[in-house]
Protein backbone atom coordinates (compact mmCIF):
# COMPACT_ATOMS: atom_id res chain seq x y z
CA UNK A 1 0.00 0.00 0.00
CA UNK A 2 1.62 3.16 -1.23
CA UNK A 3 0.65 5.63 1.46
CA UNK A 4 2.65 8.62 2.67
CA UNK A 5 2.31 9.35 6.38
CA UNK A 6 3.34 12.77 7.72
CA UNK A 7 4.42 13.06 11.36
CA UNK A 8 5.92 15.93 13.36
CA UNK A 9 5.23 18.61 15.93
CA UNK A 10 2.01 20.64 15.72
CA UNK A 11 2.43 23.55 13.32
CA UNK A 12 5.14 22.01 11.13
CA UNK A 13 2.65 21.88 8.25
CA UNK A 14 1.53 18.24 8.03
CA UNK A 15 -2.00 19.27 7.08
CA UNK A 16 -1.07 22.26 4.91
CA UNK A 17 1.69 20.52 2.97
CA UNK A 18 -0.11 17.14 2.99
CA UNK A 19 -3.16 18.22 1.05
CA UNK A 20 -1.07 19.87 -1.69
CA UNK A 21 1.28 16.88 -1.86
CA UNK A 22 -1.73 14.60 -2.33
CA UNK A 23 -2.92 16.75 -5.21
CA UNK A 24 0.48 16.66 -6.90
CA UNK A 25 0.81 12.89 -6.50
CA UNK A 26 -2.80 12.22 -7.51
CA UNK A 27 -3.39 10.63 -4.10
CA UNK A 28 -6.27 10.83 -1.65
CA UNK A 29 -5.80 13.05 1.39
CA UNK A 30 -6.67 11.98 4.92
CA UNK A 31 -6.29 14.19 7.97
CA UNK A 32 -6.27 12.01 11.08
CA UNK A 33 -7.61 14.87 13.21
CA UNK A 34 -10.72 15.13 11.05
CA UNK A 35 -11.20 11.34 11.16
CA UNK A 36 -11.06 11.46 14.96
CA UNK A 37 -13.62 14.28 15.08
CA UNK A 38 -15.92 12.42 12.68
CA UNK A 39 -15.73 9.12 14.52
CA UNK A 40 -16.12 10.75 17.94
CA UNK A 41 -18.64 13.39 16.84
CA UNK A 42 -16.70 15.78 19.05
CA UNK A 43 -14.09 18.47 18.47
CA UNK A 44 -10.49 17.56 19.37
CA UNK A 45 -10.54 20.25 22.07
CA UNK A 46 -13.73 18.71 23.52
CA UNK A 47 -12.19 15.24 23.61
CA UNK A 48 -9.12 16.59 25.42
CA UNK A 49 -11.29 18.56 27.85
CA UNK A 50 -13.71 15.70 28.55
CA UNK A 51 -11.41 12.66 28.45
CA UNK A 52 -8.14 14.25 29.48
CA UNK A 53 -4.79 13.91 27.77
CA UNK A 54 -4.57 10.14 28.19
CA UNK A 55 -8.14 9.70 26.97
CA UNK A 56 -7.38 11.70 23.84
CA UNK A 57 -4.21 9.72 23.18
CA UNK A 58 -6.19 6.47 23.48
CA UNK A 59 -8.81 7.69 20.99
CA UNK A 60 -6.10 8.93 18.60
CA UNK A 61 -4.28 5.60 18.86
CA UNK A 62 -7.44 3.62 18.11
CA UNK A 63 -8.55 5.75 15.16
CA UNK A 64 -5.12 5.85 13.50
CA UNK A 65 -4.59 2.11 14.03
CA UNK A 66 -7.78 1.43 12.07
CA UNK A 67 -7.12 3.60 9.00
CA UNK A 68 -7.59 1.70 5.78
CA UNK A 69 -6.07 3.56 2.87
CA UNK A 70 -4.32 3.19 -0.43
CA UNK A 71 -2.41 5.80 -2.40
CA UNK A 72 -3.17 8.37 0.27
CA UNK A 73 -1.27 11.12 2.02
CA UNK A 74 -2.14 10.87 5.71
CA UNK A 75 -1.52 13.96 7.86
CA UNK A 76 -1.45 12.73 11.45
CA UNK A 77 -1.82 14.81 14.61
CA UNK A 78 1.42 15.65 16.42
CA UNK A 79 0.67 13.35 19.36
CA UNK A 80 0.12 10.22 17.25
CA UNK A 81 3.63 9.00 18.14
CA UNK A 82 2.43 8.22 21.69
CA UNK A 83 0.25 5.45 20.22
CA UNK A 84 2.24 2.27 19.64
CA UNK A 85 -0.51 0.42 17.77
CA UNK A 86 -1.16 3.43 15.58
CA UNK A 87 2.50 3.82 14.66
CA UNK A 88 2.99 0.12 14.01
CA UNK A 89 -0.01 0.17 11.69
CA UNK A 90 0.99 3.36 9.89
CA UNK A 91 4.50 2.03 9.30
CA UNK A 92 2.99 -1.08 7.75
CA UNK A 93 0.76 0.77 5.32
CA UNK A 94 3.22 3.36 4.04
CA UNK A 95 6.32 5.52 4.22
CA UNK A 96 6.55 7.65 7.35
CA UNK A 97 7.89 11.16 6.70
CA UNK A 98 8.97 13.29 9.68
CA UNK A 99 8.73 17.03 9.06
CA UNK A 100 11.40 18.55 11.28
CA UNK A 101 11.66 22.13 12.51
CA UNK A 102 14.00 23.56 15.14
CA UNK A 103 12.47 24.45 18.49
CA UNK A 104 13.16 28.14 17.89
CA UNK A 105 11.28 28.28 14.60
CA UNK A 106 8.43 26.16 15.93
CA UNK A 107 8.04 28.39 18.97
CA UNK A 108 7.83 31.41 16.71
CA UNK A 109 5.26 29.71 14.50
CA UNK A 110 3.02 28.57 17.30
CA UNK A 111 1.73 31.72 18.94
CA UNK A 112 -1.43 30.22 20.30
CA UNK A 113 -0.54 26.67 21.19
CA UNK A 114 -3.40 26.15 23.68
CA UNK A 115 -6.00 27.36 21.18
CA UNK A 116 -4.87 24.60 18.85
CA UNK A 117 -5.70 21.92 21.43
CA UNK A 118 -2.20 20.55 21.70
CA UNK A 119 -1.68 17.66 24.10
CA UNK A 120 0.20 19.42 26.91
CA UNK A 121 0.26 17.90 30.37
CA UNK A 122 -0.08 20.07 33.50
CA UNK A 123 3.05 22.20 33.83
CA UNK A 124 4.54 21.00 30.55
CA UNK A 125 6.05 23.63 28.22
CA UNK A 126 6.49 23.52 24.46
CA UNK A 127 10.22 22.97 25.07
CA UNK A 128 9.45 19.92 27.26
CA UNK A 129 7.10 18.58 24.61
CA UNK A 130 9.69 19.10 21.87
CA UNK A 131 12.31 17.24 23.88
CA UNK A 132 9.95 14.40 24.76
CA UNK A 133 8.69 13.86 21.23
CA UNK A 134 11.78 14.35 19.09
CA UNK A 135 13.18 10.84 19.81
CA UNK A 136 9.78 9.33 19.02
CA UNK A 137 9.49 11.11 15.65
CA UNK A 138 13.04 10.01 14.82
CA UNK A 139 12.32 6.43 15.86
CA UNK A 140 9.34 6.04 13.55
CA UNK A 141 10.58 8.05 10.57
CA UNK A 142 11.54 6.37 7.30
CA UNK A 143 12.41 9.80 5.87
CA UNK A 144 13.29 13.04 7.67
CA UNK A 145 12.64 16.36 5.94
CA UNK A 146 14.36 19.36 7.47
CA UNK A 147 12.06 22.24 6.64
CA UNK A 148 14.08 24.94 8.40
CA UNK A 149 13.93 28.13 6.28
CA UNK A 150 11.95 26.38 3.55
CA UNK A 151 8.70 27.69 2.13
CA UNK A 152 5.66 25.40 1.99
CA UNK A 153 6.35 24.82 -1.72
CA UNK A 154 10.01 23.94 -1.08
CA UNK A 155 9.00 21.58 1.72
CA UNK A 156 6.57 19.78 -0.60
CA UNK A 157 9.21 19.58 -3.32
CA UNK A 158 11.73 18.08 -0.88
CA UNK A 159 9.22 15.49 0.34
CA UNK A 160 8.49 14.53 -3.26
CA UNK A 161 12.19 14.19 -4.11
CA UNK A 162 12.84 12.07 -1.02
CA UNK A 163 9.88 9.83 -1.87
CA UNK A 164 11.13 9.28 -5.42
CA UNK A 165 14.58 8.53 -4.07
CA UNK A 166 13.08 5.99 -1.66
CA UNK A 167 11.13 4.61 -4.61
CA UNK A 168 7.79 5.21 -2.96
CA UNK A 169 5.91 7.04 -5.71
N1 LIG B 1 7.38 26.23 5.34
C1 LIG B 1 6.18 25.97 5.83
N2 LIG B 1 5.68 24.72 5.71
C2 LIG B 1 4.46 24.44 6.21
N3 LIG B 1 3.67 25.32 6.86
C3 LIG B 1 4.11 26.57 6.99
C4 LIG B 1 5.38 26.95 6.50
N4 LIG B 1 5.56 28.23 6.79
C5 LIG B 1 4.46 28.64 7.43
N5 LIG B 1 3.56 27.66 7.56
C6 LIG B 1 2.28 27.79 8.25
O1 LIG B 1 2.31 26.96 9.41
C7 LIG B 1 1.02 26.42 9.65
C8 LIG B 1 1.09 24.92 9.64
O2 LIG B 1 -0.14 24.42 10.13
P1 LIG B 1 -0.68 22.97 9.86
O3 LIG B 1 -0.56 22.60 8.44
O4 LIG B 1 -2.02 22.90 10.52
O5 LIG B 1 0.40 22.10 10.70
P2 LIG B 1 0.19 20.70 11.36
O6 LIG B 1 -0.87 19.95 10.65
O7 LIG B 1 1.55 20.06 11.24
O8 LIG B 1 -0.15 21.01 12.79
C9 LIG B 1 0.10 26.94 8.56
O9 LIG B 1 -0.56 28.08 9.04
C10 LIG B 1 1.08 27.30 7.44
O10 LIG B 1 0.59 28.32 6.61
O1 LIG C 1 0.54 17.57 18.85
C1 LIG C 1 -0.52 17.51 19.50
O2 LIG C 1 -0.52 17.31 20.73
C2 LIG C 1 -1.81 17.67 18.78
C3 LIG C 1 -1.78 18.10 17.49
C4 LIG C 1 -3.00 18.35 16.71
O3 LIG C 1 -2.76 18.07 15.33
P1 LIG C 1 -1.68 18.84 14.41
O4 LIG C 1 -0.33 18.23 14.70
O5 LIG C 1 -2.14 18.59 13.04
O6 LIG C 1 -1.70 20.28 14.77
C5 LIG C 1 -4.18 17.53 17.21
O7 LIG C 1 -4.04 16.18 16.88
C6 LIG C 1 -4.34 17.60 18.68
O8 LIG C 1 -4.82 18.87 18.96
C7 LIG C 1 -3.07 17.31 19.48
MG1 LIG D 1 -2.67 18.97 11.20
Amino acid sequence: MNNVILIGMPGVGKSTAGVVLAKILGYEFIDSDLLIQKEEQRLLAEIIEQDGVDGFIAVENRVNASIEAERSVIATGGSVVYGEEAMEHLRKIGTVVYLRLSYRTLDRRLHNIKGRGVVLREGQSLADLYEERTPLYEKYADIVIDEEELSIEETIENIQKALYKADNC
Side-chain angles (χ1 to χ4, degrees), residues 7-18 31 33 75-78 99 101 109-110 116 147-156:
I7 63 169
M9 288 291 284
V12 292
K14 303 177 294 294
S15 300
T16 312
D31 196 299
D33 284 348
T76 60
L99 299 184
L101 261 189
R109 204 181 281 181
L110 286 174
R116 261 184 166 256
E147 65 164 68
E148 204 65 29
E149 293 185 16
L150 297 187
S151 65
I152 298 179
E153 288 72 23
E154 287 167 333
T155 300
I156 293 163

Side-chain angles (χ1 to χ4, degrees), residues 64-132:
N64 279 284
S66 68
I67 291 178
E68 286 182 26
E70 259 181 63
R71 291 173 64 81
S72 301
V73 175
I74 304 170
T76 60
S79 46
V80 72
V81 285
Y82 295 128
E84 261 184 55
E85 289 84 3
M87 290 314 300
E88 250 172 55
H89 174 69
L90 293 170
R91 274 165 67 87
K92 262 190 223 143
I93 65 167
T95 304
V96 177
V97 179
Y98 166 32
L99 299 184
R100 202 201 78 86
L101 261 189
S102 70
Y103 170 72
R104 247 181 107 225
T105 308
L106 192 72
D107 189 31
R108 235 183 293 135
R109 204 181 281 181
L110 286 174
H111 294 301
N112 193 4
I113 192 169
K114 286 238 164 75
R116 261 184 166 256
V118 169
V119 164
L120 270 184
R121 289 178 195 280
E122 197 70 23
Q124 203 174 28
S125 67
L126 179 63
D128 298 332
L129 201 69
Y130 188 90
E131 201 179 314
E132 176 179 274

Side-chain angles (χ1 to χ4, degrees), residues 3 18 21-23 25-30 69-74:
N3 298 297
L21 178 67
K23 201 159 127 183
L25 296 175
Y27 278 20
E28 298 285 324
F29 175 69
I30 297 169
E70 259 181 63
R71 291 173 64 81
S72 301
V73 175
I74 304 170

